[in-house]
Every structure is written in structure tokens, then in C-alpha cells.
Amino acid sequence: MKNKLLIFSAVLVFSLGACTSDYEDLNSNKDNFTNKELEQDFNNVKAPIRGMQRWMYILVEDDWRGDIQFNLNADIFSGYMGTPHNFEGNNNNSTYVLLDGWNNAAWENAYRREMVNALTVKRLVESKGPKYYAWSLILKVYAMHKITDYHGPIVYSAFGSEAATVPYDSQKAVYDQFFTELKTAVDILTPFATANKESTFFVDKNDATDGTTAKGIVLKWIKFANSLRLRLAMRISNVDPIKAKAEAEAAIAGFGTIDTNADNIFYLADHPVNTYTNQWADINVGGAIASIMNGYNDPRREQYFNKSVIGTYQGIRMGTVVDDDYRTAKANQFSKIGNVVSSGQIPWFTATESHFLKAEGALKGWNMGGTPQSFYESGITTSFIQNGAGGATTYINNDVLLPADFTDPLNAVNNIVAQNLVTIKWSDAVSNEVKLQKIQTQKWLAIFPDGQEAWAETRRTGYPKLFLPTNNFSSGKIPAGTFVRRLNFPVQEKTSNPVGYAQGVQELGGVDTGATRLWWDTGVNQF
């Protein structure tokens, strides 16, 4: 694995330069398809649409880089997972040494696959086939919100420019464009779904272009766009509460959001984490999620985790220093990720997340169509049903159990007392801050294993309270006692797009390290 990472770093330097250095070559072919081809049910337009879906995650059968696209950064930072390996002599993301060779992967994939395909669709069918253009907008926003939430300012509105310098947009500007694009997509698609709720992008619902459970049904993609709009509205709620409220309330209007498990959006493929945790043994259950779920005696553990050799759900703490003895013992002592990553489905958006977003929105006084408690409890119930777990009512009404202390079976240095000391049962008597902690804790549990979204939300709200890494080897770049807030900009941007990079740092409003907060990451929750 280490050798693969070194090779990847070299390939990036010599073959990519940076995403901005070869925009012209990637995007200049505006005439991939003839008008005659476009008239044939837009068959050739389906290729870039299919590509946008397929490359949301770098799948194992295509490329090993998915391990560093999200698994060895966001999945660990979110508290979901931990690595039992001593990559780079224990100087890696887990110990807050942010590795450029790892953390460039998501950026590179997003621009060379998602943005290029989105631009191809725009040039082909924006005026001739707006339905497909709308579809590409939804996919583009879904892909790129992960990138801006990793790094902050990004190249977005100027992508495809033939200028020598490609400017960055501020994160605020990027989010404004996200909201505009999602609204545009829904406005284009709504007449089709209004006329026929079974309307599809294709003649055949089983068209292989749509590799998701949405099966090309326009109404399902409208609900996905609205759900994504609600997610992004909540993301900016602490920095721009007025706009956040307006966008959230608009998102639940019309056809609304994904509210039932029947409308969940999964990409139909084996989750790459299945390989990382089993075949490669690169990843195990994180200490934070094991602490919380063990303390709550959460029935979903059977779906989320496999038991360790001694019959327990055992996590590994972020920042653990791994020596040879530790590595030898780790295979049996720590739990691997369970059936949730071996079902042939990669979650994109589920109903349980919509319920928890509405619970927080209602807590903020937004018109979500229900109370914080009603959405909180329905969010838990929906998650239990999704994961085939029983006992939701008993779980919801438990006001005694608390997260468990964490104990490392191999090294007591990693032991730590429980941090997220909040019970499950809803109470109107507690403060809004505690209510938010309850909502976010249960949401965090429900959206597993989506570490990218979980990391973003723990940064935004501070909940659930996670374990700091046992070891922080960042040499002060991420101060002791603090959590990583972002990934550095790709190192290639400094050399191949230096003016754009400098502008990006200026828009960031701080130094280009993992300690600088993003625009929406204010550190203060708004109610």
C-alpha cells in the first residue's frame, strides 16, 4: 500500500500537473456527438451521465485511490473508522500529518471526472435536452459539495476557462451557485414529474445508464435534489441563517425531499470500504462510534460492525501509534466494518438524514412541517427499519444509557473516558444546545458509513463529541487540543496555478493548513 501511495504521488506530479493546468485539453472538444446522434434519445449523452455517477467514489475495481479519496481522511476524521497501519512511520492523516499524496485524490477525481463530464453535458444538451442538463447539475452539486467541504474555496464558476490563471470562488460563492443550480434542475424537471409521476429519463426504467436505485425516475431525482438543497441549507445555517431558512423551506415544498426508505438513493456497487476493511485490512471500526453505540447498546451494530475475536464490538482510536506487535495482533482484536458495506449498495442520500435535518430545522424555528421531537424520533425509526434492526421504540425511550468509555485491548495509552455524554430520549426540558447534540448524535449514527458527510457535520456543530487523536504529530499546524478542520489545497496548485492558488488562500481567510476553519464552520450554533 505504501509503495502504491508513493507511485500515485509521482503520477500526480508528472501526469496531472494540476486540475487547472490542462483544463483546455480536457474541455475543448465541444463536438463529441453529432446532432443526429443527439436526436436518438440522447443515447450518447448518457455516457457522461453514467461517468458522473460511477466516479462519485473511486471503486476498487477501477482504481485503488478510493482508499485515499475518502477512507483515510474523512472516514477517520469523522470518528467512524481508524487505521491499524503505521503508514509513513505513523506520520499520516490519523496523527494529523496531512499527506499531500493522499489528500489530492478527491480533488483530482472530482475535476477530471465529475466536472469534465458535467461540462460535456452542458455543451451538448443545455438547450436541446434540458432534462439531461438538469440531471447533470444535480450530480455535479452532489460531487462538488464534498470538495468544497474538504478544502474551502475551489475552482467552480470558471471551470473550463482557457485563461492562463483559473480563479477560485469563495466558498460562499460556490454555495450560492449550488443553490441556483439545484433550483434550476428542479424547475426543469418538475413539469415532467407533474405530467407523469412515473416519467423517466429513458424509455426503459431499467436502462443501465442509471446505476442507482432511482432507476431513472425523474421524481426520485427531484426529491434527491431537494434533499441535497436541504443538506446544504443546514450547512450554512450558522453563517447565513436567513438564506439557510429560505433554502430549507423551499427544499421541502413541491415534491419535497427523500422521506421514506423506498426513495433512498444508493449507487449499486460494492462499497469500496468492504475491500479496505477485509481484503486489505487497512481500516477498522473507529473508537468514537464504538464508544457511543456500545454505551447505547445499539441494535444497529450487527449491521455496521463485525465482532472482534473476543466477541465484542471493538474500535480503534484515531492517532494510535502502531508498532509491529500491534499490527500483528490487530486483525482479531479490532472490529471490521460489517454488512453495511457488503450489500452492493453505496449510500448517497437516505430518508433518515432528511428527518434529522428537519428536526434541526424545526429546532431553529423553520417551517419544516413538524416538531423537533417528531422528526428526531422518526429519524431513528427510519434508520432502524433501513438497517433491519428491531427495538426502535425501546431505544427511543431510553433515558439512562450513555456512551461507554473507550478501552484499547493492546495499549492502555489509547484509553479515554466517554466524551459525548447525552442520553437518547428526547426532552423538552433541556437546552437547545443539548437538543442539537441529541439530534446530531443520532444523525451521525444513522448516516454511517458516509464519513464525508459525518465529518462535515461534526465540524459544523461540534457534535457528537469525538475523541481527539492520541497522538498529534502535526508540529503545531493543527494545535494540540483541536480537531482537523479541512484538507490542504493540492500541492500541484501552488506550482501550476499559483495566482489562482494565492487567491484561494486569500478567500480561505487563513493559512493553508488543516487548522483553518471553512466559511460555514463558525464554531457557534445558531438557534
Side-chain angles (χ1 to χ4, degrees):
M1 180 64 186
K2 180 177 179 181
N3 289 337
K4 289 179 179 178
L5 293 174
L6 293 174
I7 292 169
F8 172 54
S9 298
V11 170
L12 280 177
V13 171
F14 291 106
S15 69
L16 296 183
C19 74
T20 53
S21 64
D22 56 357
Y23 283 159
E24 302 94 298
D25 293 337
L26 291 170
N27 302 326
S28 60
N29 186 359
K30 302 178 183 180
D31 300 309
N32 290 335
F33 312 124
T34 66
N35 288 335
K36 183 177 181 180
E37 289 173 321
L38 289 174
E39 292 169 359
Q40 298 173 0
D41 288 331
F42 298 95
N43 283 327
N44 287 320
V45 180
K46 296 175 183 178
I49 291 288
R50 184 184 298 117
M52 293 185 76
Q53 295 187 48
R54 183 172 182 80
W55 290 103
M56 292 294 178
Y57 289 91
I58 302 176
L59 303 179
V60 174
E61 66 266 26
D62 294 307
D63 205 324
W64 54 268
R65 283 175 289 181
D67 204 7
I68 54 177
Q69 179 193 19
F70 64 93
N71 187 235
L72 293 177
N73 46 54
D75 284 351
I76 292 176
F77 299 153
S78 67
Y80 279 173
M81 304 178 198
T83 180
H85 280 279
N86 60 343
F87 294 120
E88 301 297 326
N90 289 299
N91 291 289
N92 56 59
N93 287 344
S94 178
T95 55
Y96 283 0
V97 180
L98 302 186
L99 298 177
D100 289 326
W102 288 12
N103 298 327
N104 292 348
W107 177 287
E108 179 227 348
N109 184 63
Y111 283 104
R112 295 184 68 87
R113 270 69 179 256
E114 304 298 342
M115 291 293 279
V116 167
N117 280 321
L119 189 59
T120 297
V121 175
K122 176 181 171 67
R123 288 172 169 171
L124 287 169
V125 298
E126 182 177 7
S127 60
K128 300 176 183 178
K131 183 163 64 172
Y132 291 90
Y133 173 59
W135 197 5
S136 74
L137 289 179
I138 298 169
L139 291 168
K140 182 175 74 163
V141 172
Y142 181 68
M144 297 308 295
H145 91 280
K146 297 174 183 293
I147 304 305
T148 187
D149 289 348
Y150 268 9
H151 300 281
I154 59 172
V155 174
Y156 198 68
S157 63
F159 181 80
S161 168
E162 297 182 1
T165 295
V166 184
Y168 282 57
D169 293 310
S170 69
Q171 192 170 42
K172 180 184 185 304
V174 172
Y175 263 75
D176 285 345
Q177 190 165 338
F178 286 163
F179 290 124
T180 298
E181 289 173 330
L182 290 173
K183 182 181 184 302
T184 297
V186 170
D187 287 347
I188 291 172
L189 296 178
T190 294
F192 294 97
T194 300
N196 178 7
K197 289 187 178 181
E198 297 298 317
S199 174
T200 70
F201 290 98
F202 325 110
V203 175
D204 180 2
K205 290 182 183 178
N206 295 317
D207 191 299
T209 301
D210 192 341
T212 74
T213 51
K215 297 183 178 179
I217 299 174
V218 171
L219 178 58
K220 288 181 179 288
W221 285 97
I222 291 174
K223 290 182 177 182
F224 180 42
N226 286 333
S227 301
L228 186 54
R229 190 176 183 183
L230 179 59
R231 173 193 282 183
L232 299 183
M234 193 60 68
R235 189 85 88 240
I236 69 169
S237 61
N238 291 334
V239 70
D240 194 347
I242 295 175
K243 183 173 181 60
K245 179 177 184 291
E247 293 291 342
E249 291 179 349
I252 69 169
F255 286 114
T257 56
I258 296 170
D259 295 323
T260 67
N261 285 325
D263 287 332
N264 289 345
I265 303 289
F266 296 96
Y267 185 73
L268 300 176
D270 286 337
H271 201 298
V273 170
N274 187 39
T275 297
Y276 308 151
T277 193
N278 289 307
Q279 181 180 341
W280 295 359
D282 279 354
I283 208 74
N284 288 96
V285 173
I289 195 168
S291 163
I292 293 175
M293 297 191 85
N294 283 337
Y296 288 160
N297 195 26
D298 195 313
R300 290 169 292 184
R301 287 176 300 175
E302 295 182 9
Q303 177 73 4
Y304 287 7
F305 315 140
N306 292 327
K307 288 184 177 179
S308 68
V309 68
I310 60 174
T312 61
Y313 297 109
Q314 177 64 54
I316 184 170
R317 185 176 171 188
M318 179 171 60
T320 294
V321 167
V322 180
D323 58 26
D324 289 339
D325 292 338
Y326 199 99
R327 287 187 62 186
T328 301
K330 62 94 175 64
N332 293 327
Q333 294 292 322
F334 299 96
S335 295
K336 296 181 180 297
I337 314 302
N339 293 334
V340 72
V341 296
S342 60
S343 64
Q345 296 182 327
I346 302 174
W348 280 8
F349 206 106
T350 60
T352 187
E353 182 179 347
S354 293
H355 287 264
F356 286 116
L357 288 168
K358 291 178 182 180
E360 185 178 352
L363 185 66
K364 295 177 182 296
W366 301 352
N367 182 11
M368 295 285 99
T371 66
Q373 180 177 354
S374 68
F375 286 124
Y376 173 77
E377 294 177 350
S378 64
I380 295 173
T381 301
T382 302
S383 175
F384 271 57
I385 294 172
Q386 176 191 330
N387 289 287
T393 300
T394 300
Y395 181 90
I396 287 169
N397 287 293
N398 192 298
D399 199 24
V400 176
L401 295 178
L402 291 168
D405 296 340
F406 174 77
T407 302
D408 187 320
L410 299 179
N411 190 345
V413 170
N414 298 312
N415 295 352
I416 188 171
V417 298
Q419 301 292 298
N420 195 61
L421 300 178
V422 63
T423 58
I424 301 167
K425 187 176 181 179
W426 186 264
S427 172
D428 284 327
V430 300
S431 68
N432 281 346
E433 195 70 30
V434 174
K435 291 174 183 175
L436 176 64
Q437 185 178 5
K438 287 176 179 281
I439 291 170
Q440 287 301 128
T441 298
Q442 294 302 323
K443 175 184 173 183
W444 179 80
L445 294 173
I447 65 173
F448 183 86
D450 187 355
Q452 293 171 307
E453 183 60 21
W455 180 38
E457 287 293 83
T458 58
R459 285 178 286 162
R460 177 180 69 87
T461 67
Y463 301 121
K465 295 181 179 179
L466 304 178
F467 300 139
L468 285 163
T470 306
N471 296 282
N472 178 338
F473 295 154
S474 69
S475 299
K477 292 180 180 178
I478 302 173
T482 65
F483 289 96
V484 60
R485 314 310 298 186
R486 61 181 289 274
L487 298 181
N488 301 342
F489 290 122
V491 65
Q492 291 86 357
E493 288 289 282
K494 299 178 183 180
T495 55
S496 59
N497 187 29
V499 176
Y501 166 78
Q503 180 195 6
V505 174
Q506 183 179 10
E507 295 287 359
L508 179 65
V511 293
D512 183 17
T513 69
T516 299
R517 290 178 180 267
L518 302 186
W519 166 69
W520 47 255
D521 181 9
T522 66
V524 179
N525 293 312
Q526 296 270 359
F527 299 105

